Amino acid sequence: MAGSRAHSPHLRYSDRKGGLARGGARRHPTAAPRRPRLTARSPATRALHEMIALSRAQFDAPDEDEILRLAMDHIAAAGPYSAEAGYLNVGGDLVPSPQNGRTHALAVGRRVRELDGRDGDVTVTGRPWGQALGLREHGVLHGYLVVTSRSRPTKVERSLLAMLVRHTAAALSVAFAHRRRREEALAVHRLREERTALQRKLVSVVAELGYERAVHALMADVAASGGGEEAVTRALHGLTGLPALVEDRFGRLRSWTGPGRPFPYPEPDPVRRDEMLHAVARRAGPVRMKDRLLTLIRPHGEILGVLALVDARDEADEHTVLALENAAASLALEMTHLRDLAEVELRLHRGLVDDLLAGTDEASAYARSEAVGHDLHRSHYVVVVQWSNRPADDSFAQAVGRAASAVGMRSLLTLRSDHVVLVADDRPHARALYEALARETGTRSGTIGVSAPSDSLTDIPHHYQEAQRALDVRRHSRERYGTTFFDELGLYRILGPGNDYQELETFVHEWLGQLIDYDSRHHAAMVETLSRYFDCGGNYDETADSLAIHRSTLRYRLQRIRDISGQDLANVEDRLNLQVATRVWKIVLGGPG
């Protein structure tokens, strides 16, 4: 308390072994000189206490910025000083403290960098004294403290400033050391985490490689066993636990392993099927379509079919995808091999059938048929197949071959410009081959013609014409799609190729000449109307519907036909001759169908 005597032991120091008594009594003349008194009120003592408190605060500070801020904020405790700027050495670069003033920032900063680690004078306007003092510890520069004074500092003030600089440098040295240790500990921790992550990844990679090798080995065994599509779907079902299936290019089921197979299997929609195939082909890897994960069997860009997993619960993971991709690759090789074999066999068959249809010597034909595993010594039928929406190419020929095999037909096969020809060793069933082909192609718009049986190889060219005649008659009939046998044609058998066309033309002209001339002059359709009338069995309603005309228009045309031709449709003989004439006109002479 000001004005009162303090009782602190620091108020003054006295000789406790025979010194002067309290109250100021003189000491013995031979005693040691008296020390200067340091009282609690003296500026030096207060400054010293503040330096000690500042030092403690700096060593407790959380970081280097706070240490430097404390030094700059308490610089006045050492004397008539002002802290103009402070800098920290961060990675070799002097970073200014946020406490720095803006007035002399550029000049002071430039001067500090010029000193290059040394202490030196700093000129600041209005301040007669200025120093840039390096904050060093054990020869390491941790930063700078730029100090100015309103007057030149005394010796004591310089000593206090030096103490503040040393304590600040020491605190910074400890703080930087702590930071380095934290950073090193953090780096070690990161390295340990990275090592642990790498170890886990390595374990995962090893497991993945093991699984992948197992999948490769399994699929290689499947391919080597020659089990085909059934073996692949069994293996894939075993690996994934999901139902596995193979469909052909047109969406018909070829193999299914696992529960849930639909009976009957849904008939594919050709348009939607093509859209789906194009959508999957545009994307890489397996694609999810509703409840299925599927991939294309596509060696060399050609789509041979689809391999799929039924995954209604969306359980597929990367292992499932890996198994599906490997199974598809194995199946692609298998199907490519089978297709290549089929193509080789097909070429051998075609060469033999081409020669049989053109006429060849029997000895050569028998020898070649034995080479391809077919017995030509039995009676044979020539079968001609044409489908309106399928060109007669290799793909269609293979479809015909598969359909024939599916119904138990043993046959040889070849291609013509617009149809496929089979030489079969048994009479085809009336509907079995047609139905099988409808399933293969996905459409019923097809026609099949079958010849009479051939007991001699030399007769096969003639029977080929019979099959073509049966096909033509079917195509020009009201029900143009289906199977027609030559030996069931009846009257139409005499209207085939090889007959006397001049006689037929004379017959047609005799009965239909006036109607044909009338149609030519007036661009009418009297002959076609008469032909449809006979095709519909004389039924007015059916005939009018087939011609897309009104019943009264049909009645008018029939009356005109009676008037123009002079023939009586009610007369049995006239009616028969007119009906035969319209058939000859349409089928043999190429009239409108």
Side-chain angles (χ1 to χ4, degrees), residues 37 176 185 240 350 482 569:
R37 292 183 180 180
F176 276 118
T240 64
R350 287 178 187 174
L569 297 180

Side-chain angles (χ1 to χ4, degrees), residues 62 67-68 147 157 176 179 196 199 203 209 237 257 410 431 434 460 520:
I67 292 171
L68 187 60
V147 181
E157 291 168 347
F176 276 118
R179 177 182 291 276
T196 302
Q199 288 174 340
V203 171
L209 289 175
H237 174 61
T257 302
R410 295 181 296 272
R431 295 189 59 83
Y434 173 77
I460 285 181
S520 177

Side-chain angles (χ1 to χ4, degrees), residues 122-441:
V122 174
T123 301
V124 175
T125 304
R127 296 286 180 169
W129 184 89
Q131 286 281 308
L133 304 172
L135 302 172
R136 300 180 190 83
E137 179 74 8
H138 304 301
V140 178
L141 180 69
H142 296 303
Y144 268 100
L145 188 61
V146 179
V147 181
T148 61
S149 176
R150 296 184 300 274
S151 60
R152 297 190 65 80
T154 65
K155 185 176 181 179
V156 173
E157 291 168 347
R158 286 177 180 269
S159 177
L160 289 173
L161 179 59
M163 182 187 298
L164 183 147
V165 169
R166 285 196 304 274
H167 288 185
T168 301
L172 286 175
S173 179
V174 172
F176 276 118
H178 286 168
R179 177 182 291 276
R180 283 194 298 273
R181 282 195 294 273
R182 288 195 302 270
E183 290 175 349
E184 289 171 358
L186 184 60
V188 170
H189 180 69
R190 279 199 303 267
L191 288 173
R192 287 175 179 170
E193 287 186 337
E194 290 175 1
R195 182 184 66 182
T196 302
L198 287 173
Q199 288 174 340
R200 290 174 180 169
K201 187 174 181 180
L202 182 60
V203 171
S204 176
V205 168
V206 171
E208 290 290 339
L209 289 175
Y211 180 79
E212 188 171 349
R213 281 197 298 269
V215 173
H216 278 306
L218 178 60
M219 291 305 168
D221 291 342
V222 169
S225 69
E229 298 157 7
E230 291 286 346
V232 171
T233 55
R234 280 198 305 271
L236 187 56
H237 174 61
L239 284 169
T240 64
L242 299 172
L245 63 122
V246 177
E247 293 176 341
D248 67 9
R249 168 70 174 77
F250 306 102
R252 283 171 295 278
L253 184 66
R254 298 178 64 88
S255 174
W256 181 296
T257 302
R261 175 179 174 175
F263 289 98
Y265 200 73
E267 283 292 327
D269 183 326
V271 175
R272 291 185 179 179
R273 182 71 177 182
D274 285 340
E275 291 175 352
M276 184 274 288
L277 293 177
H278 284 101
V280 176
R282 286 194 295 268
R283 298 167 65 180
V287 176
R288 176 169 290 278
M289 292 283 185
K290 295 183 179 179
D291 65 339
R292 294 186 179 185
L293 187 67
L294 52 89
T295 187
L296 299 181
I297 305 167
R298 186 172 53 171
H300 313 299
E302 180 185 2
I303 299 176
L304 299 181
V306 171
L307 178 64
L309 291 168
V310 181
D311 183 24
R313 297 182 180 179
D314 196 12
E315 299 172 338
D317 56 12
E318 63 274 11
H319 296 102
T320 307
V321 171
L322 176 66
L324 183 61
E325 289 176 336
N326 279 271
S330 176
L331 192 55
L333 294 175
E334 175 76 9
M335 294 182 73
T336 300
H337 176 65
L338 293 176
R339 186 195 60 180
D340 291 343
L341 289 178
E343 288 179 352
V344 171
E345 184 177 4
L346 187 58
R347 284 195 294 271
L348 293 175
H349 286 194
R350 287 178 187 174
L352 176 56
V353 176
D354 288 340
D355 289 345
L356 289 173
L357 297 181
T360 186
D361 65 285
E362 294 186 354
S364 172
Y366 287 137
R368 292 164 64 189
S369 67
E370 290 177 5
V372 297
H374 190 84
D375 183 10
L376 280 178
H377 291 84
R378 305 175 61 181
S379 294
H380 279 73
Y381 291 79
V382 179
V383 181
V384 178
V385 180
Q386 188 178 65
W387 235 254
S388 63
N389 69 329
R390 293 292 299 273
D393 55 13
D394 288 343
S395 175
F396 182 57
Q398 291 172 7
V400 173
R402 288 193 300 268
S405 297
V407 298
M409 287 178 59
R410 295 181 296 272
S411 60
L412 301 172
L413 180 149
T414 191
L415 282 173
R416 284 294 186 263
S417 60
D418 62 351
H419 58 267
V420 172
V421 182
L422 295 168
V423 176
D425 66 357
D426 199 3
R427 179 185 175 90
H429 186 272
R431 295 189 59 83
L433 180 60
Y434 173 77
E435 294 294 340
L437 270 169
R439 290 191 296 271
E440 278 283 343
T441 59

Side-chain angles (χ1 to χ4, degrees), residues 86 176 207 292 295 303 420 473 475 479 497 512 516 547 552 558:
F176 276 118
R292 294 186 179 185
T295 187
I303 299 176
V420 172
V473 170
R475 288 179 61 246
E479 297 182 6
L512 299 178
I516 293 172
L547 291 169
S552 60
L558 292 176

Side-chain angles (χ1 to χ4, degrees), residues 21-89:
R22 183 179 298 270
R26 289 183 177 272
R27 293 176 58 87
H28 191 276
T30 61
R34 180 177 295 178
R35 292 182 178 179
R37 292 183 180 180
L38 290 174
T39 67
R41 297 179 184 178
S42 68
T45 301
R46 288 197 302 272
L48 183 60
H49 286 176
E50 288 192 27
M51 291 297 102
I52 293 172
L54 173 62
S55 178
R56 288 174 179 171
Q58 286 179 317
F59 277 96
D60 291 337
D63 55 36
E64 300 88 334
D65 288 331
E66 181 64 12
I67 292 171
L68 187 60
R69 186 193 68 78
L70 288 170
M72 295 176 69
D73 286 350
H74 295 82
I75 193 69
Y81 301 116
S82 294
E84 297 293 338
Y87 299 87
L88 290 176
N89 186 354

